[in-house]
Amino acid sequence: MAAHEAKAYSPATLARICAKENELETGRKELQVLRTNVEQSVERARQVLRLRHELEQQRLRIEERRRLVEQQARRVEEASGMSEGSDNQTAAAHKREDEQDIVQRIKRLAVTLRQDRIILEDLRAMLARQRAQVASVLAFVYPVELGDDGWTICGLRLVHADNIHGWLASEETAAALGMVAVVVDYVAQSMGVPARYPVIPRGSRSVVVNPGSTPAQTAPLFMLRAGDRPRLRAAIRLVATDIEQLLGMFGIDDIDRHQILPNLTQLLLAIENSSFAQ
């Protein structure tokens, strides 16, 4: 055990952590600028969603008007069929006028409907491109890579809760989970989907909310003492569930929930690829 602690606090390892902390501080400043840009993109996406809802309501109104016009056309035909004697010619003339008017109105409604559909498809494509842009920026700012020591995010390992021993491993995992929380939070906002277990990014002291408990409780994505290990284990499971939920929106269900960083990479790639499918 002594040898293990000596290795954990070796000068080279501590120097590496200090360097990572400096990089994280620079990254945090850049992230603040990114956060502003992403929030603007999210707001634009919300406006697009509202506009899409309005377009859908307009489409329903058009369909209703078309139904009423068709009913009117049938009534005209029925009324014309009941006309007899000297009124036949006059009724036939009115019928032709009514039919021509109905045809013109239906044509105008059909043109409006086609235009609305084109606008709706353009809005869907624009929203997909905005989401892909957010995913691309997140993948650049928080790179997930597979190295000799396994998967890392910004060069930091995400150690399993049961394998965390010592302050160094605890802080490295907490910082990695804080970055995962940022990515999950941004993705959920850009998709307009409330995460099943909302995350609250706070750097290496991030937490995840469990709204299913009464009252709602927060679970820490960090471990300050050995007694925090069960809560950290539970918090990681909640974040993994959020990633699984977001992947499910793209039809990706066959995943290993324990592989958080690979799943996170798969999620960002799915969002980027979805923009090409529009």
Side-chain angles (χ1 to χ4, degrees):
M1 182 66 183
H4 177 77
E5 290 297 333
K7 183 178 180 180
Y9 289 92
S10 65
T13 305
L14 291 175
R16 173 172 169 267
I17 292 297
C18 290
K20 288 297 179 183
E21 289 179 348
N22 293 333
E23 292 177 7
L24 286 175
E25 182 62 29
T26 302
R28 289 191 186 98
K29 295 178 181 178
E30 296 175 352
L31 179 60
Q32 187 61 38
V33 177
L34 173 64
R35 180 185 292 272
T36 302
N37 295 334
V38 171
E39 288 175 351
Q40 293 175 351
S41 297
V42 170
E43 180 59 29
R44 287 196 298 269
R46 289 173 178 168
Q47 293 175 357
V48 168
L49 289 175
R50 287 194 294 269
L51 180 57
R52 191 165 78 179
H53 176 72
E54 294 174 1
L55 288 174
E56 180 64 19
Q57 294 300 317
Q58 182 178 357
R59 184 187 68 80
L60 295 175
R61 288 193 295 269
I62 291 173
E63 291 293 338
E64 180 64 17
R65 287 199 296 267
R66 172 180 291 180
R67 185 182 64 82
L68 294 175
V69 168
E70 291 175 350
Q71 288 180 353
Q72 182 180 358
R74 287 194 296 270
R75 285 196 297 268
V76 169
E77 291 177 357
E78 293 172 357
S80 299
M82 297 174 60
S83 299
E84 297 178 355
S86 60
D87 295 333
N88 285 344
Q89 292 182 352
T90 302
H94 287 309
K95 175 183 176 181
R96 286 192 296 270
E97 291 177 359
D98 290 339
E99 288 177 347
Q100 290 176 358
D101 180 59
I102 291 171
V103 169
Q104 293 301 320
R105 291 166 66 181
I106 290 177
K107 287 182 178 179
R108 289 193 296 270
L109 290 173
V111 171
T112 302
L113 182 59
R114 284 195 296 269
Q115 291 174 344
D116 288 345
R117 285 175 176 171
I118 293 173
I119 293 173
L120 180 59
E121 292 302 322
D122 289 343
L123 290 175
R124 284 175 175 169
M126 182 178 71
L127 183 59
R129 288 193 296 269
Q130 288 182 343
R131 289 170 175 170
Q133 183 180 11
V134 171
S136 177
V137 171
L138 290 173
F140 176 78
V141 176
Y142 300 101
V144 176
E145 299 172 325
L146 178 60
D148 296 337
D149 296 333
W151 289 92
T152 62
I153 180 168
C154 289
L156 298 175
R157 295 176 304 153
L158 203 167
V159 182
H160 191 279
D162 293 333
N163 298 329
I164 296 177
H165 300 287
W167 173 85
L168 190 62
S170 174
E171 288 300 302
E172 183 176 14
T173 299
L177 287 171
M179 296 175 187
V180 171
V182 172
V183 175
V184 171
D185 184 50
Y186 269 124
V187 169
Q189 290 187 50
S190 67
M191 296 296 295
V193 177
R196 190 171 303 164
Y197 303 103
V199 293
I200 303 177
R202 294 175 181 169
S204 60
R205 294 298 180 264
S206 301
V207 297
V208 57
V209 181
N210 183 3
S213 58
T214 305
Q217 297 180 353
T218 59
L221 290 168
F222 56 90
M223 190 175 77
L224 298 178
R225 58 188 67 84
D228 294 335
R229 196 183 306 276
R231 299 183 65 198
L232 173 61
R233 192 185 301 116
I236 293 176
R237 283 199 300 268
L238 298 181
V239 173
T241 302
D242 286 342
I243 298 175
E244 183 180 26
Q245 172 194 357
L246 295 171
L247 281 170
M249 298 183 61
F250 299 94
I252 303 174
D253 300 320
D254 187 16
I255 63 171
D256 182 359
R257 186 182 294 183
H258 298 90
Q259 300 296 323
I260 289 183
L261 294 183
N263 292 342
L264 195 66
T265 299
Q266 191 175 11
L267 173 61
L268 296 179
L269 288 175
I271 297 173
E272 293 187 57
N273 293 336
S274 67
S275 65
F276 297 102
Q278 297 295 323

